[in-house]
């Protein structure tokens, strides 16, 4: 992907394209008419919300990698992963949930231990480490 395309990914975080949350990327921007900020209710309502604003943790990896490529600052890129480190102690101890509400407090839902959420978060962490991040750079974990 060209640097210009990566920069576009990073811009998702700003302005009208704001889909980045502390636990992943929203499946739909909050300003859209069909946006649903909470994954709740009976199965039919949850199914309707699944791709209408639900946050997917595994997508945070793509954003972190794009941020790393554009800004070349592993400490700053890693800062987007820190809420996931805190999540390791809140839901399924030592693992990452499948999805989260699109609104604060970003309540976890779906599978409490989702392999692709864990794998992609670890991949992003490793990319930050390979780019020069070291434990002494971290403020908390």
């Amino acid at each position: 992907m060209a640097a210009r395309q990566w920069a576009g990914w990073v811009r998702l975080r700003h302005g009208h394209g704001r889909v980045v949350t502390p636990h992943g990327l929203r499946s739909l921007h909050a300003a859209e008419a069909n946006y649903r900020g909470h994954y709740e209710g009976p199965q039919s309502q949850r199914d309707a919300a699944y791709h209408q604003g639900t946050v997917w943790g595994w997508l945070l990896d793509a954003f972190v990698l794009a941020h790393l490529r554009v800004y070349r600052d592993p400490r700053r890129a890693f800062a987007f992963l820190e809420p996931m480190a805190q999540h390791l102690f809140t839901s399924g101890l030592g693992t990452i949930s499948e999805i989260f509400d699109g609104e604060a407090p970003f309540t976890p839902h779906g599978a409490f231990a989702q392999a692709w959420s864990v794998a992609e978060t670890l991949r992003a962490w490793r990319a930050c480490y390979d780019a020069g991040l070291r434990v002494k750079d971290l403020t908390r974990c």
Side-chain angles (χ1 to χ4, degrees), residues 8 48-49 51 62-63 77 80 89 135:
H51 297 292
F63 178 78
F80 292 104
F89 301 101
V135 173

Side-chain angles (χ1 to χ4, degrees), residues 96-109:
I96 297 173
S97 298
E98 177 185 14
I99 56 176
F100 302 82
D101 280 340
E103 299 294 324
F106 306 102
T107 304
H109 295 283

Side-chain angles (χ1 to χ4, degrees), residues 37-79:
H38 297 281
Y39 184 81
E40 61 190 4
Q43 187 67 46
S44 61
Q45 285 181 340
R46 292 192 316 267
D47 287 348
Y50 213 50
H51 297 292
Q52 301 294 17
T54 296
V55 172
W56 293 82
W58 72 272
L59 292 175
L60 190 58
D61 163 72
F63 178 78
V64 169
L65 294 177
H67 197 281
L68 190 57
R69 287 188 182 195
V70 170
Y71 295 108
R72 301 185 191 285
D73 184 346
R75 186 175 183 183
R76 192 169 160 199
F78 183 81

Side-chain angles (χ1 to χ4, degrees), residues 1 4-21 24-30 59-60 62-64 66-67 70-71 80:
M1 194 179 269
R4 180 177 249 164
Q5 290 171 309
W6 284 111
W9 254 100
V10 172
R11 281 189 213 102
L12 283 172
R13 179 170 192 270
H14 305 288
H16 182 70
R18 190 174 170 95
V19 294
V20 178
T21 75
L25 275 62
R26 287 186 183 104
S27 53
L28 186 67
H29 186 284
L59 292 175
L60 190 58
F63 178 78
V64 169
H67 197 281
V70 170
Y71 295 108
F80 292 104

